[in-house]
Amino acid sequence: MDTNGPLIAYYDALCPICRMEMNRYARHGDHIIRLHDCNGDLPDDVDREAALAALHVRLPDGRVETGWKAFIAIWERVPGWRWLALLTRPAPIRIPLDVLYRWLAPYRPRQKCRDGVCDV
């Protein structure tokens, strides 16, 4: 996995939990991660419904990772979080965590409207 250059995280900024977590990573700088609200404009290769269903991350080489692999891509780069990437990368751990994440994600809290996003 390419760890040179920033990631772009497509996340649900209407979710207070998602916002808090992504801001925690983003405070390490734009050279590591850039945040992109998936409620706004998206590139053609990122589907809004899929991005709302699970975290999407664009790697520096242009590939897009989703779900638990997206979290691993973030943790590999953010200081102090690499241990979590190493711990959860093996398939016997990653796959059940991804299934659990995708099952729980639809139940996250979401604001109804913010900054005119209600039409999305």
Side-chain angles (χ1 to χ4, degrees):
M1 192 175 291
D2 182 6
T3 58
N4 296 318
L7 304 170
I8 300 171
Y10 301 99
Y11 76 108
D12 183 4
L14 293 179
C15 164
I17 295 169
C18 307
R19 227 181 12 252
M20 182 179 68
E21 182 171 4
M22 290 299 122
N23 285 331
R24 180 178 297 128
Y25 305 138
R27 69 177 173 226
H28 291 280
D30 259 6
H31 65 288
I32 294 175
I33 186 170
R34 296 180 183 154
L35 303 183
H36 189 104
D37 182 359
C38 65
N39 294 290
D41 292 334
L42 289 171
D44 291 338
D45 64 341
V46 177
D47 177 74
R48 182 176 322 283
E49 292 306 312
L52 286 170
L55 177 65
H56 282 50
V57 169
R58 182 173 310 282
L59 303 175
D61 66 7
R63 288 180 299 132
V64 175
E65 294 286 3
T66 66
W68 204 262
K69 285 184 176 182
F71 285 104
I72 290 172
I74 292 170
W75 297 332
E76 286 176 331
R77 291 160 178 80
V78 176
W81 291 85
R82 186 167 170 76
W83 67 271
L84 193 53
L86 293 170
L87 179 69
T88 64
R89 183 181 299 118
I93 297 170
R94 183 188 73 244
I95 293 170
L97 287 174
D98 187 63
V99 169
L100 181 63
Y101 164 70
R102 290 174 190 267
W103 181 72
L104 289 173
Y107 299 104
R108 71 190 180 277
R110 294 192 81 223
Q111 294 174 326
K112 298 293 183 212
C113 295
R114 186 179 60 81
D115 301 329
V117 177
C118 301
D119 298 336
V120 177

